[in-house]
């Protein structure tokens, strides 16, 4: 059997191994939704928020729900394991076997996302369907297909972003202390908390040059109909560019990092 197929299946089993933890992790997504919904309801109560934000009350609520669900699917979480392998010598067993460590991590994380997709997917379909029914979102089969494709590209891009951060463990002793900060910052910059285009055209243009918004906000704005086809085309090209860039950066970090790796432990 293909070893990477085994890794993918092991990722699925790993996600389901601790069912209570899995359920609690999914349920925890309800708290930020509740907090943000309460905040938006308060801000939009005075009637000026729609003009300032550029989103109607219904659009911002749909955005909040979809952004939280998309974040659940594209989130990382494997970086702690990578850092542990580097720090404690667990990387040794991968270096002496015919297995590409990057591919191993990617397939493992993909496997862990399968059970999550079967939970998040129906919830996402319900939110989009509600938006089509109430807000008359311009949804079509083609747009749904493009949304799913962009969601996969967002997952790969987010994987490489955190993989590059995790590889800093070759140079930093306690890089795991950095993960929490990086995760929070990237969640905000990706549009996972609120859409970054509410800050005006200047900052919006800057954010479009960075890779972070293409992991969450871009996907959400495809689903809610805010982006036209020209914007979608440019966004997909940007996703592919940043994936290629981060993959090249990861190769450089990996090769240079192995020169410093002490291979102690494991």
């Amino acid at each position: 059997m293909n070893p990477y197929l085994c890794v993918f299946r092991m990722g699925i089993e790993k996600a389901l191994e601790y069912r209570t933890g899995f359920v609690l992790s999914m349920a925890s997504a309800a708290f930020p939704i509740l907090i943000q919904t309460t905040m938006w309801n308060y801000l939009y109560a005075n009637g000026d928020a729609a003009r300032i934000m550029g989103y109607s009350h219904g659009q911002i609520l749909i955005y909040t729900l979809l952004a939280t669900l998309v974040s659940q699917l594209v989130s990382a979480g494997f970086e702690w394991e990578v850092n542990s392998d580097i720090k404690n010598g667990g990387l040794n067993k991968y270096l002496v076997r015919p297995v590409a460590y990057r591919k191993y991590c990617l397939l493992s994380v993909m496997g862990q996302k399968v059970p999550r997709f079967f939970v998040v997917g129906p919830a996402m379909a319900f939110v989009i369907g509600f938006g089509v029914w109430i807000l008359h979102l311009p949804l079509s089969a083609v747009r749904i297909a493009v949304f799913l494709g962009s969601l996969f590209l967002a997952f790969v891009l987010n994987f490489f972003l955190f993989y590059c951060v995790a590889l800093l463990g070759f140079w930093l002793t306690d890089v795991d202390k950095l993960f929490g900060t990086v995760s929070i910052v990237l969640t905000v910059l990706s549009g996972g908390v609120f859409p970054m285009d509410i800050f005006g055209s200047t900052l919006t243009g800057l954010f479009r040059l960075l890779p972070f918004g293409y992991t969450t906000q871009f996907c959400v704005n495809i689903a809610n109909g805010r982006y036209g086809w020209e914007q979608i085309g440019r966004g997909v090209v940007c996703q592919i560019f940043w994936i290629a860039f981060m993959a090249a950066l990861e190769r450089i970090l990996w090769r240079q990092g192995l020169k410093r790796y002490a291979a102690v432990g494991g």
Side-chain angles (χ1 to χ4, degrees), residues 161-181:
L161 284 171
F162 277 90
Y163 190 57
C164 287
V165 174
L167 290 182
L168 294 178
F170 284 120
W171 290 271
L172 303 176
T173 304
D174 292 322
V175 71
D176 57 327
K177 303 296 188 299
L178 183 65
F179 294 148
T181 303

Side-chain angles (χ1 to χ4, degrees), residues 39-208:
M39 179 187 70
W40 292 126
N41 287 337
Y42 174 79
L43 292 176
Y44 276 80
N46 59 20
D48 295 329
R51 176 179 55 82
I52 297 173
M53 301 293 184
Y55 286 76
S56 68
H57 190 191
Q59 286 176 331
I60 199 69
L61 292 180
I62 292 294
Y63 182 94
T64 298
L65 293 170
L66 286 179
T68 302
L69 295 174
V70 168
S71 297
Q72 286 285 321
L73 291 179
V74 304
S75 61
F78 68 96
E79 62 272 14
W80 307 93
E81 183 177 350
V82 174
N83 178 64
S84 177
D85 286 340
I86 295 174
K87 186 176 181 179
N88 300 322
L91 191 60
N92 299 348
K93 58 180 177 290
Y94 301 102
L95 296 178
V96 298
R97 296 173 182 172
V99 176
Y101 187 65
R102 175 184 61 177
K103 194 172 182 180
Y104 167 85
C105 292
L106 178 60
L107 269 295
S108 178
V109 176
M110 288 179 63
Q112 294 176 48
K113 293 298 179 182
V114 171
R116 192 174 295 266
F117 178 80
F118 281 103
V119 176
V120 173
M124 190 177 295
F126 174 80
V127 172
I128 295 176
F130 181 80
V132 172
W133 180 41
I134 301 298
L135 302 178
H136 307 290
L137 298 181
L139 196 65
S140 65
V142 176
R143 186 175 283 269
I144 293 176
V146 174
F147 166 69
L148 294 176
S150 71
L151 194 60
F152 176 75
L153 292 176
F155 164 75
V156 176
L157 175 56
N158 202 56
F159 169 83
F160 278 114
L161 284 171
F162 277 90
Y163 190 57
C164 287
V165 174
L167 290 182
L168 294 178
F170 284 120
W171 290 271
L172 303 176
T173 304
D174 292 322
V175 71
D176 57 327
K177 303 296 188 299
L178 183 65
F179 294 148
T181 303
V182 171
S183 179
I184 294 173
V185 172
L186 293 189
T187 298
V188 174
L189 294 180
S190 68
V193 179
F194 44 76
M196 301 304 293
D197 51 7
I198 66 177
F199 293 105
S201 58
T202 302
L203 287 179
T204 298
L206 176 61
F207 289 134
R208 287 177 179 173

